[in-house]
Amino acid sequence: MKKDIITVTSPLLPDLTEFNEYLRNIWEKKWITNNGSYHKLLEKELSEYLGVPYICLFTNGTLPLITALQALRITGEVITTPYSFVATTHALWWNGIKPVFVDIDPGTGNIDPEKIEAAITPKTTAIMPVHVYGRPCRITEIQEIADKYGLKIIYDAAHAFGVKKDGESILNAGDISTLSFHATKVFNTIEGGAMIVKDEKTKRRIDFFKNFGFANETEVVSPGINGKMDEIRAAYGILNLKQVDNAIAIRKRIANKYRDCLKYVKGVKFWNDIPDVKHNYSYFPIFINAEEYGMTRDQLYFKMKSHNIWGRRYFYPLISSFSMYRGLPSANKDNLPNAYKMANEVICLPIHQDLTEEDVEKVINEIKY
Ligand code: T4K
């Protein structure tokens, strides 16, 4: 069924013959989870590839968010963005923390640092920004605010695999960053995720946390959870890491083609690359100005869909408009004008390594005519 549909993304899959060899190895060893040798190897290879000091693998990208809040003992209120996947705010809810939504910067889709200070109260303990679509937050300004008020920063970097700014991984910003390795991400382990930490002691604590708090066979040192990645998905990740650069290069070519071909289409806006940033091209959002384009975002979205082009309206609706959060004072529409505008204008176009030239042309023509 999927063959006829041009989807927003498509999972990068390891070569099946190579994967079979890894599986055979796992079968022989009969060590299938709990910090096995592929788990250790993937952590080592990822920390080298990403340029980060310590990484802790997880079974998805939501658990490292929940665990990071526990590990840093975050309570009270946390300042965050409404323009993200719902897991960002759910992680706060699961920790009994009150989310405080701050509007976004229309130039990046990320939390606007200029609006953070006004949202700080005596109960604020942390800031949880998101590098939306892998575009870096204004990390220096956010760090200055955190330092001034003694706040922690946890970056939801689910989209930011491999992104660098001035040669440095943006995953090193703040106190902790988290990644998602879900099937829909640039780098995937089917389901999976990770936490980036700065020192060995914290890595050890997190490794206890994700294993029920066990420090050894008999000692439980924290109220941990089960967040472990198994050997099969670690092996899959090791193989995918070998081909991720090629997948990113293909995505880059597609992004440039979209930019070249859509730049004169009235009412369609998109972002260019940021100088000194190594992008991962995980998403290609376009923004529709209905008046200029002559069609609303939703009209275009459903027209595309009727022709088997499945873009996605990431991130519509805003997290702050879901029933469990909409009663919060910070969820008020007047507080979030830029986020509302972006959520109502965005379509993420198909971008992935399996698209053909013909597919890309089809998407472009659908938008142009
Ligand atoms: N923080 C942020 C900022 C996030 O974006 C996410 C996840 C998280 C935290 C949490 O991380 P995880 O706990 O999920 O690791 C997807 C993903 O499920 C989710 O991981 C992701 N963000 C979010 C932005 O998107 P959907 O609802 O769009 O997935 P779905 O199933 O509609 O897939 C989209 C398209 O991808 C399909 O039309 C076709 C393609 N696809 C998908 C799957 C699953 C395939 O070709 N094969 C597949 O197996 O949520």
Side-chain angles (χ1 to χ4, degrees), residues 75-79 100 116 119-127 149-151:
T75 55
E77 295 178 5
V78 169
I79 289 172
V100 176
I116 291 177
I120 295 174
T121 76
K123 290 186 181 151
T124 311
T125 54
I127 309 171
Y149 292 90
L151 307 176

Side-chain angles (χ1 to χ4, degrees), residues 132-350:
V132 179
Y133 309 129
R135 291 176 80 84
C137 289
R138 283 151 63 184
I139 51 185
T140 313
E141 283 159 86
I142 295 173
Q143 190 63 57
E144 278 166 13
I145 297 166
D147 291 344
K148 185 169 161 191
Y149 292 90
L151 307 176
K152 299 282 187 201
I153 308 172
I154 297 166
Y155 277 102
D156 180 342
H159 305 170
F161 183 87
V163 175
K164 293 193 171 166
K165 192 171 185 302
D166 302 321
E168 157 95 21
S169 172
I170 62 162
L171 302 174
N172 290 325
D175 294 279
I176 283 177
S177 289
T178 65
L179 286 162
S180 164
F181 302 152
H182 183 259
T184 55
K185 298 292 186 284
V186 167
F187 169 80
N188 85 88
T189 57
I190 306 177
E191 293 277 354
M195 192 190 300
I196 310 300
V197 297
K198 305 218 149 141
D199 57 87
E200 205 176 346
K201 194 169 156 226
T202 310
K203 169 153 174 60
R204 208 169 334 120
R205 272 189 74 220
I206 299 299
D207 285 346
F208 296 162
F209 257 112
K210 74 177 195 195
N211 187 26
F212 314 96
F214 274 107
N216 55 49
E217 202 178 314
T218 50
E219 249 184 303
V220 173
V221 294
S222 62
I225 197 149
N226 183 358
K228 293 166 280 128
M229 181 184 280
D230 62 73
E231 283 294 274
I232 296 177
R233 287 187 287 152
Y236 178 108
I238 290 164
L239 290 171
N240 259 355
L241 193 57
K242 293 184 192 173
Q243 41 171 8
V244 73
D245 281 338
N246 183 44
I248 291 173
I250 296 171
R251 285 168 174 270
K252 181 175 181 173
R253 278 207 299 277
I254 296 168
N256 286 334
K257 173 117 190 180
Y258 280 146
R259 285 174 182 146
D260 270 358
C261 299
L262 297 176
K263 64 183 167 206
Y264 299 121
V265 182
K266 246 182 122 198
V268 175
K269 263 192 0 196
F270 51 79
W271 292 318
N272 287 318
D273 284 355
I274 305 165
D276 306 320
V277 169
K278 181 175 176 280
H279 291 274
N280 66 9
Y281 307 94
S282 47
Y283 297 86
F284 193 86
I286 61 167
F287 307 99
I288 304 300
N289 178 320
E291 236 170 74
E292 286 178 21
Y293 185 64
M295 209 186 265
T296 65
R297 182 277 307 272
D298 283 348
Q299 283 169 331
L300 174 61
Y301 172 75
F302 287 112
K303 180 171 89 88
M304 287 166 70
K305 206 157 188 191
S306 72
H307 294 136
N308 282 345
I309 301 169
W310 290 11
R312 286 300 288 262
R313 290 167 293 177
Y314 299 131
F315 288 98
Y316 165 86
L318 293 178
I319 302 175
S320 50
S321 66
F322 291 125
S323 59
M324 67 249 57
Y325 303 122
R326 72 167 73 114
L328 293 166
S330 64
N332 193 306
K333 203 172 172 182
D334 297 338
N335 187 43
L336 308 166
N338 295 332
Y340 268 90
K341 185 168 186 297
M342 198 168 283
N344 287 328
E345 293 186 344
V346 69
I347 302 180
C348 288
L349 298 186

Side-chain angles (χ1 to χ4, degrees), residues 2 7-11 60-62 65 84-85 87-88 130 156 158-159 180 182-185 192 283 310 312 314-315:
K2 215 188 118 191
T7 49
V8 70
T9 189
S10 178
N60 59 49
T62 304
L65 281 171
S84 179
F85 187 61
T88 312
V130 180
D156 180 342
H159 305 170
S180 164
H182 183 259
T184 55
K185 298 292 186 284
Y283 297 86
W310 290 11
R312 286 300 288 262
Y314 299 131
F315 288 98

